[in-house]
Amino acid sequence: MNTTTSVFGAVHLGYIVIESNRFTDWRRFGADAIGMHHDAVDSHLMRFRLDDQECRFLVRRGPAEDVVATGWHIDDHAGFEQIEARIRAHGVPVAEGTAEEAALRGVERLLRFPGPKGVTQEIYTTPRMASEPLRMLASGWVTGDSGMGHIAITSTKPTQLRGYFSTVFDARLTDYIDEAISGVKLKVRFLRVNERHHSIAIAAVRGLPIDPIRTRVQHLNIQAASLDDLARSYDRVHELGFDMALSVGQHTNDKELSYYARTPSGFEWEVGWNPIVIDEATWQPSTHRGISIWGHTPVGQTIIDKLDQFRLGGLSLARREDTVPSLSGAGTPDD
């Protein structure tokens, strides 16, 4: 089978699997604060919906307090088989999910394979549509051809992670952001797999092989259908006592208006509105200075929090970051 045909544009972020023991807090956070549809499967599983698809977030009971898998919707069986063939051609093991695992994710069939930083990557072609009407506080969320949002990862090996997603999904570089936070210089690479400005963001400390984030994923993003939805969810996060990580602001590169809340598991959750859509005919990558045009100021951050980040960064020096070398290769150098 030909493994060189591009799958760009046929790949969309479809669901996220989270492992946590904080079920009561996650139900309140997801349904009552963010405003998603909640389904209690049993005492060890819950799901959240954003649209007609049966599952967009699967929370399973366990100790990780982290994202453990990302699911990618592939448009058709040809693209699905193309990606499978690529992974096998690089000698990376591929496993088929069980019928029960597929049902929990709201898909007919899925394949899984290793991903960077221990986040399992899963692909599927046919999502199952729910028969039950949505019950949620938001008027809606933007999914469709853009996928359901994005994930952001911190890494000590950013070019290898870029190489991984380029190899597997033909991800394209959208742009860079250079930012200095508390004297630490960061470079963020933004990758797209469809018209969404980015489905993957990879942040790295410039010149130092440290990772100051405990969790595998630094934040998730979902896109509100209206500015009113964003504002109301922001108020609910405050009213219900969940921590706000960053106040409302606007990003320099994708122009998205957003805020960042802290999830019960510790990673951040960005609710955004109205990012730009990429025009492939005209887009050229560029570098932006600073993450935000305005806002996005830290909320409630203390010197203890900053010291803890430095402690985690120091610990990361002794930790091996898995980039799945067979798929990331020597990495994709910065343009």
Side-chain angles (χ1 to χ4, degrees):
M1 178 180 290
N2 180 13
T3 60
T4 60
T5 303
S6 178
V7 296
F8 180 87
V11 180
H12 322 274
L13 184 60
Y15 62 76
I16 301 285
V17 183
I18 297 163
E19 188 176 282
S20 175
N21 282 319
R22 297 167 182 165
F23 264 41
T24 300
D25 289 339
W26 263 108
R27 184 199 58 75
R28 291 180 65 247
F29 180 82
D32 300 338
I34 302 302
M36 300 182 290
H37 174 107
H38 169 261
D39 286 315
V41 179
D42 58 35
S43 61
H44 296 282
L45 294 161
M46 72 172 74
R47 304 196 297 190
F48 294 103
R49 288 171 55 197
L50 302 175
D51 54 15
D52 289 339
Q53 191 165 317
E54 280 188 353
C55 177
R56 290 297 190 175
F57 295 95
L58 174 65
V59 184
R60 71 187 191 202
R61 202 171 285 280
E65 300 301 342
D66 208 342
V67 170
V68 293
T70 52
W72 300 89
H73 181 191
I74 313 303
D75 278 347
D76 52 40
H77 291 288
F80 184 95
E81 292 169 1
Q82 176 82 11
I83 294 169
E84 179 184 4
R86 284 181 190 182
I87 296 160
R88 292 188 186 279
H90 284 82
V92 175
V94 176
E96 184 153 5
T98 65
E100 180 184 16
E101 289 169 333
L104 284 173
R105 290 155 174 78
V107 301
E108 289 189 5
R109 172 181 178 236
L110 71 104
L111 291 180
R112 63 164 54 92
F113 48 94
K117 294 194 72 174
V119 179
T120 299
Q121 303 297 299
E122 300 177 353
I123 57 173
Y124 67 97
T125 57
T126 310
R128 292 178 173 172
M129 298 297 110
S131 57
E132 183 182 348
L134 285 165
R135 305 181 313 275
M136 58 186 186
L137 299 177
S139 69
W141 303 94
V142 178
T143 53
D145 289 341
S146 296
M148 58 174 258
H150 67 248
I151 59 171
I153 302 171
T154 54
S155 176
T156 61
K157 299 178 179 180
T159 58
Q160 282 90 342
L161 263 66
R162 184 177 165 193
Y164 178 96
F165 289 108
S166 296
T167 298
V168 176
F169 296 132
D170 294 307
R172 297 178 182 176
L173 176 72
T174 301
D175 49 32
Y176 302 102
I177 286 180
D178 288 339
E179 175 73 286
I181 301 176
S182 301
V184 177
K185 294 182 178 180
L186 299 174
K187 189 175 191 70
V188 191
R189 297 149 177 89
F190 295 84
L191 307 180
R192 67 186 187 279
V193 292
N194 53 53
E195 65 183 14
R196 184 177 287 279
H197 178 276
H198 61 284
S199 294
I200 305 144
I202 303 166
V205 177
R206 295 185 71 132
L208 290 173
I210 62 171
D211 182 351
I213 304 299
R214 176 193 66 82
T215 51
R216 299 164 186 163
V217 168
Q218 191 274 328
H219 78 259
L220 306 177
N221 164 283
I222 56 175
Q223 184 181 338
S226 72
L227 181 57
D228 185 64
D229 285 328
L230 182 145
R232 289 178 181 273
S233 67
Y234 182 83
D235 284 345
R236 291 193 300 265
V237 168
H238 275 294
E239 290 166 0
L240 291 171
F242 291 103
D243 290 340
M244 191 67 67
L246 298 176
S247 65
V248 174
Q250 186 176 28
H251 286 301
T252 54
N253 57 347
D254 66 1
K255 304 301 188 287
E256 186 172 36
L257 197 72
S258 70
Y259 70 85
Y260 294 72
R262 189 163 287 110
T263 68
S265 292
F267 58 85
E268 294 174 14
W269 189 292
E270 182 185 20
V271 175
W273 173 73
N274 201 33
I276 62 174
V277 175
I278 297 297
D279 180 352
E280 294 297 332
T282 60
W283 189 264
Q284 293 293 326
S286 59
T287 297
H288 298 263
R289 305 297 171 185
I291 291 174
S292 305
I293 300 170
W294 59 270
H296 287 146
T297 55
V299 178
Q301 192 172 53
T302 67
I303 188 63
I304 301 300
D305 297 323
K306 298 305 297 180
L307 289 173
D308 194 51
Q309 283 190 316
F310 284 117
R311 179 185 66 82
L312 289 169
L315 290 173
S316 72
L317 290 170
R319 204 167 53 229
R320 178 181 174 271
E321 181 179 331
D322 186 6
T323 62
V324 192
S326 296
L327 289 169
S328 60
T332 302
D334 293 331
D335 300 340

